[in-house]
């Protein structure tokens, strides 16, 4: 994906020794951690920022959580917004606010309260999303329960093994998918309507779904 080059320069922030600092009053304390390995279980009322080659953040964060690294893992309960960027990302916590995730390999299995934006090469999204979702990737598997509207943008072609969206979750609101290849698993449920933009035949397509020909267009320009 064209945007991936923006993710990797974070490695330049990593230093050999980990640093950890806190600031603010006790009831609204914020923390920052940076280093080759930035790993901590935190319980803070304010913000938390982690940056390094290998990032691990667990615990509770009252406001916003920012995670940047080559390998990022987190099982944190976030009261505000989440931002995560890296080559490999795994998040299994909860986010009350908005979540923006950018990476190459992404696995999400959490609870997301507001808007979810995911940009990646290969991703699996599980758990529950209450708000709107916008998902952009080369190979995407959507297993979650999506309560809000969902837009899925596939990048790449079948010849490259990319541009594939696999739908197996629950979609309560309108779902729009543009991809070179779309697979609908039997476990998928569409309660709010389904629009598919593709040139390939789609198996298990509901009878009330709308099918539009892609005709060689770029999905990024379509949606």
């Amino acid at each position: 994906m064209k945007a991936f080059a923006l993710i990797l320069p974070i490695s330049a922030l990593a230093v050999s020794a980990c640093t950890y600092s806190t600031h603010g009053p006790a009831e609204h304390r914020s923390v920052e951690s940076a280093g080759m390995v930035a790993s901590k279980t935190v319980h803070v009322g304010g913000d938390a920022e982690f940056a390094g080659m290998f990032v691990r953040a667990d615990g509770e964060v009252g406001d916003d959580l920012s995670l940047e690294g080559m390998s990022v893992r987190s099982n944190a309960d976030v009261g505000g917004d989440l931002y995560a960027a890296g080559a490999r990302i795994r998040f299994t916590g909860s986010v009350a606010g908005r979540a923006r995730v950018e990476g190459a390999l992404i696995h999400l299995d959490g609870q997301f309260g507001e808007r979810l934006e995911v940009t990646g090469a290969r991703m699996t999204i599980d758990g529950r999303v209450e708000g709107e979702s916008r998902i952009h990737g080369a190979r995407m598997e959507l297993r979650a329960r999506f309560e809000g509207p969902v837009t899925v943008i596939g990048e790449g072609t079948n010849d490259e093994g990319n541009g594939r969206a696999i739908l197996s979750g629950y979609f309560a609101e309108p779902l729009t998918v543009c991809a070179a290849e779309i697979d609908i698993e039997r476990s998928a449920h569409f309660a709010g309507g389904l629009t598919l933009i593709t040139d390939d035949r789609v198996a298990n397509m509901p009878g009330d779904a709308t099918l539009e020909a892609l005709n060689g267009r770029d999905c990024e320009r379509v949606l």
Side-chain angles (χ1 to χ4, degrees):
M1 179 156 310
K2 304 178 184 69
F4 289 166
L6 300 177
I7 298 170
L8 299 180
I10 188 62
S11 61
L13 296 177
V15 294
S16 58
C18 179
T19 61
Y20 182 79
S21 62
T22 65
H23 55 88
E27 66 276 9
H28 200 72
R29 181 164 296 164
S30 295
V31 301
E32 297 178 5
S33 181
M36 185 67 72
V37 178
S39 177
K40 192 76 174 179
T41 297
V42 297
H43 298 277
V44 295
D47 301 329
E49 297 182 17
F50 290 76
M53 290 289 289
F54 303 97
V55 171
R56 179 72 183 257
D58 298 331
E60 298 177 0
V61 177
D63 287 335
D64 299 340
L65 173 62
S66 175
L67 307 168
E68 298 182 77
M70 292 296 291
S71 176
V72 173
R73 296 176 65 92
S74 178
N75 182 19
D77 294 324
V78 183
D81 298 340
L82 169 71
Y83 173 69
R88 183 185 296 268
I89 299 171
R90 182 179 182 88
F91 182 84
T92 55
S94 65
V95 182
R98 295 169 296 175
R100 181 158 63 98
V101 181
E102 303 172 351
L105 300 177
I106 299 171
H107 182 94
L108 304 179
D109 188 0
Q111 306 293 315
F112 300 92
E114 296 184 13
R115 181 178 173 89
L116 174 65
E117 297 181 43
V118 186
T119 302
R122 295 177 179 266
M123 66 184 72
T124 300
I125 301 178
D126 212 331
R128 184 185 182 100
V129 184
E130 297 288 345
E132 179 183 2
S133 299
R134 186 172 180 87
I135 300 163
H136 184 182
R139 185 182 177 95
M140 303 157 285
E141 185 168 0
L142 308 185
R143 304 174 180 172
R145 183 180 180 95
F146 294 90
E147 299 292 350
V150 181
T151 301
V152 178
I153 302 169
E155 181 165 326
T157 65
N158 288 343
D159 294 340
E160 303 167 336
N162 293 327
R164 184 182 184 192
I166 303 171
L167 312 177
S168 60
Y170 177 90
F171 302 89
E173 295 292 333
L175 166 64
T176 302
V177 183
C178 179
E181 180 179 356
I182 301 172
D183 295 333
I184 299 177
E185 303 291 335
R186 295 192 181 277
S187 61
H189 184 80
F190 308 97
L194 174 62
T195 300
L196 305 175
I197 306 171
T198 185
D199 288 329
D200 279 5
R201 178 180 177 274
V202 181
N204 300 321
M205 186 175 71
D208 59 350
T210 300
L211 182 62
E212 178 183 333
L214 185 55
N215 287 333
R217 293 175 295 169
D218 188 335
C219 285
E220 288 185 278
R221 296 181 180 274
V222 175
L223 300 177

